[in-house]
Amino acid sequence: MPPLIRVVLAEDEVLLREGLVGLLTRFHFEVVAAVGSAPALLEAVRAHEPDLLVTDIRMPPGQHDDGLRAAVALRAERPSRAVVVLSQYVQTEYASALLDSGDGRRVGYLLKDRVADVAEFADTLRRVAGGGTAIDPDVVRHLLHRPRDPLAALSAREREVLALLAEGHSNAAIAARLHVTEAAIGKHVGNILTKLDLPPSDDTNRRVLAVLAYLRRHGS
C-alpha cells in the first residue's frame, strides 16, 4: 500500500468537493481539510501543513483566480509546497504564474474535463507530492506556441500592477486597491522593470517605459 498523503482540498462546488474527498480517500489520501474559498484554503494549509494542496483556480470570494493566487502565495511562503490546480480550460497566464512560483517542482496544472481515469489522476497527485511536475498536454502546447511578448514574463499579479500603473495610479493607490502593503507593490514594480529588461535610468522614466510596453501590447 502506498504511503498516506495528507491533502488540503479547495473546491467551491459542494458536490464536486465531496466527490473529490471520496475519490481521494478511496486512493489512500487523507483529506485533512476540504474548503470552499481561497481565504479558507490559506488558513487550512497554514494550520495543517499538508503534503499536498489541490485547488480549483476560480474560487470565492472573487470567483476569478482566487484559488491560484492563494496557491502561489502559499508557495511563496514555502517554495517546496506541493500544489495541483484544477481548471476548466487552458489559461496560459495562470499556468505560467504557477510554474514560476516556488522552485518549479512539486506543481501540477490539470484540466478538469481531461481527467478521464481516476487512478491516473491519483497517480499524478502522488507524483507531484513526491517532487514531480504534471502539466496537462494542452497547456504545454499553448505555452510553447504563445507569440513572443515583452510582457509574457510577468506574473498575473505583476500584469495587474502594470495595468494600474498605466491608469496613472501611485504605488500607494495600487496597494490600497489590491489590499496589500505599499512595500509589496514596490517589489512588484521592481520585478516588472527587471523582467522587461528596461535600461538603467531614474525610476520615473523606467515606469513610463513599462507603461508604454503595456499600452503597445494592449492598445487597439
Side-chain angles (χ1 to χ4, degrees), residues 18 25 27 33 45 47 58 62 68 78 88 104 115 121 124 135 160 163 171 180 196 204-205 220:
E18 292 303 313
T25 302
F27 282 92
V45 170
R58 294 182 180 272
L68 173 76
R78 201 181 85 191
Q88 292 284 8
V115 178
F121 174 65
T124 298
I135 308 298
E160 192 172 13
N171 284 13
V180 298
L196 292 182
T204 300
N205 187 49
S220 58

Side-chain angles (χ1 to χ4, degrees), residues 56-77:
D56 192 1
I57 283 182
R58 294 182 180 272
M59 295 279 289
Q63 289 293 3
H64 184 47
D65 59 353
D66 299 65
L68 173 76
R69 289 188 185 187
V72 171
L74 288 165
R75 281 187 45 98
E77 291 177 3

Side-chain angles (χ1 to χ4, degrees), residues 52 62 104 106 133 161-162 215:
L52 173 70
R106 295 184 176 87
T133 300
V161 169
L162 181 54
L215 293 175

Side-chain angles (χ1 to χ4, degrees), residues 87-89 111-116:
S87 180
Q88 292 284 8
Y89 46 88
L111 299 181
K112 289 181 178 179
D113 62 358
R114 287 172 56 88
V115 178

Side-chain angles (χ1 to χ4, degrees), residues 8-29:
V8 166
L9 171 67
E11 167 60 57
D12 63 318
E13 295 183 18
V14 176
L15 290 178
L16 181 54
R17 183 168 69 241
E18 292 303 313
L20 284 169
V21 169
L23 185 154
L24 292 172
T25 302
R26 172 182 158 199
F27 282 92
H28 202 60
F29 291 83

